[in-house]
Amino acid sequence: MKQEILIIQPLMPDLSEILHQQYHCHRLYEQTDVALFLSQHGHKIRAVATRGDVGLAAELMAALPALELITVFGVGTDAIDLAAARDRNITVTITSDILTDDVADLALALMLSTSRQIVAQDTFLRSGAWQQRPPQLGNKLSGKRVGIMGLGKIGAAIARRCAGFDMQIGYCNSRQSDEPGWQRFGDLHQLAQFSDFLVLAVPGDARNRKMVDAEILSALGEQGILINVARGAVVNEDDLIEALQTQRIRGAGLDVFDSEPGIDSRFASLNNTVLTPHIASATAETRQAMAQNVVDNLAGWFKGEGAITPIG
């Protein structure tokens, strides 16, 4: 008999197909009466498959008394009550170390796109305006100062890429880096004052919610650019939009938004931004590897071998 698992929100089609072949999958997002579903099936579900941006609501976790494993397609755990999971000895897995390079690559792409005005220059060329006037000047990336908020695996990968551009590297993190020449700052305000580019690479949990506000943006200053590849929730979007509209900062490169997939309509009218639809890990190679990681975690667990990438 197949093990029963619960899928919280749609997963990539290839992964969903594999899971349906190997398990009896319940799709929560298709249930019209969740309470009735849980009363009938909740006690049989030992594992949940979810996405990093979706997580698992605390009340839903509480309604699954047999739950042993939460597999996350992604690295975000801010939407999971980890303390409750630990109290119940529920193992949580993420697609660890798989998407680090892609996220770091996109952070650099956003830095280059905003500083060199790649999107605006593309529009300028396609419009035919080049025949009437020269393009506007962008700004250098090489040699500038980058401040990275959060020097975990992704933040460190971003820093190494920035080092290749001879950038001065500053960071805020709970632990000191061993990398020579990287400057540690005591708080985000100091880091923003240092930075030409302020890059966010922190979890989107409650402690970081709206940490980038008007005060931090003022510290970043008129020549500064904000890059967010973390979570939309870490930025006060009203403050950011006002800073962009009034040019109190130079620009922003954003891959994440507070209310995605719907975003504040005011972003669309800003010409000093580069906006991408949460695609930091969206390469065919990485998404396939992430899917395989979820499959392997579930298989290992149900074979009694344990999960392969549990969080600490």
Side-chain angles (χ1 to χ4, degrees), residues 36 72 161 191 259 264 274 286 289:
L36 177 62
V72 179
R161 284 157 173 75
L191 184 68
S259 58
D264 193 307
V274 175
T286 290

Side-chain angles (χ1 to χ4, degrees), residues 40-81:
Q40 294 176 339
H41 301 282
H43 64 286
K44 298 180 288 185
I45 292 169
R46 295 174 56 196
V48 161
T50 186
R51 304 195 311 256
D53 60 327
V54 172
L56 180 65
E59 59 271 20
L60 182 55
M61 188 191 305
L64 302 173
L67 186 62
E68 303 169 6
L69 178 70
I70 302 170
T71 56
V72 179
F73 182 79
V75 296
T77 58
D78 43 283
I80 299 174
D81 188 338

Side-chain angles (χ1 to χ4, degrees), residues 78-311:
D78 43 283
I80 299 174
D81 188 338
L82 296 179
R86 283 192 296 269
D87 288 345
R88 289 180 52 188
N89 293 318
I90 298 171
T91 296
V92 179
T93 72
I94 59 175
T95 52
S96 180
D97 295 332
I98 295 173
L99 51 74
T100 298
D101 284 340
D102 274 352
V103 178
D105 288 350
L106 186 71
L108 263 292
L110 290 172
M111 292 168 69
L112 283 164
S113 296
T114 51
S115 61
R116 298 301 301 271
Q117 303 175 15
I118 299 298
V119 175
Q121 301 288 18
D122 178 89
T123 300
F124 172 82
L125 187 149
R126 292 174 188 272
S127 71
W130 194 12
Q131 300 175 51
Q132 284 77 47
R133 63 184 188 276
Q136 290 186 342
L137 299 178
N139 295 93
K140 288 186 67 172
L141 184 67
S142 298
K144 293 295 180 66
R145 295 173 302 199
V146 59
I148 301 172
M149 186 63 194
L151 203 71
K153 291 178 180 178
I154 290 173
I158 294 170
R160 289 192 296 271
R161 284 157 173 75
C162 290
F165 283 81
D166 297 323
M167 301 184 77
Q168 301 174 56
I169 297 168
Y171 67 94
C172 274
N173 199 54
S174 58
R175 296 181 181 178
Q176 177 83 34
S177 172
D178 295 330
E179 289 290 337
W182 294 9
Q183 184 176 354
R184 187 185 185 195
F185 289 85
D187 59 47
L188 179 54
H189 189 274
Q190 294 175 10
L191 184 68
Q193 288 180 314
F194 160 85
S195 302
D196 297 308
F197 295 85
L198 180 60
V199 182
L200 306 178
V202 292
D205 53 25
R207 61 183 172 171
N208 296 328
R209 183 163 181 79
K210 297 190 177 181
M211 67 191 315
V212 176
D213 55 14
E215 180 182 351
I216 298 301
L217 294 168
S218 293
L220 181 58
E222 294 179 356
Q223 301 304 311
I225 291 176
L226 179 71
I227 303 294
N228 191 3
V229 291
R231 284 287 188 265
V234 305
V235 175
N236 184 317
E237 290 189 345
D238 286 332
D239 289 355
L240 174 59
I241 289 170
E242 182 181 357
L244 290 164
Q245 289 174 334
T246 59
Q247 298 182 346
R248 287 193 291 111
I249 64 172
R250 181 185 294 277
L254 309 173
D255 185 51
V256 287
F257 303 86
D258 200 13
S259 58
E260 60 186 53
I263 70 169
D264 193 307
S265 60
R266 291 174 292 175
F267 279 118
S269 64
L270 296 170
N271 59 13
N272 53 352
T273 60
V274 175
L275 312 176
T276 54
H278 203 152
I279 59 166
S281 66
T283 66
E285 298 89 344
T286 290
R287 289 292 172 86
Q288 187 59 48
M290 290 168 64
Q292 189 61 52
N293 178 271
V294 171
V295 170
D296 292 345
N297 273 311
L298 285 165
W301 188 263
F302 287 126
K303 288 178 182 177
E305 299 170 357
I308 60 171
T309 55
I311 65 172

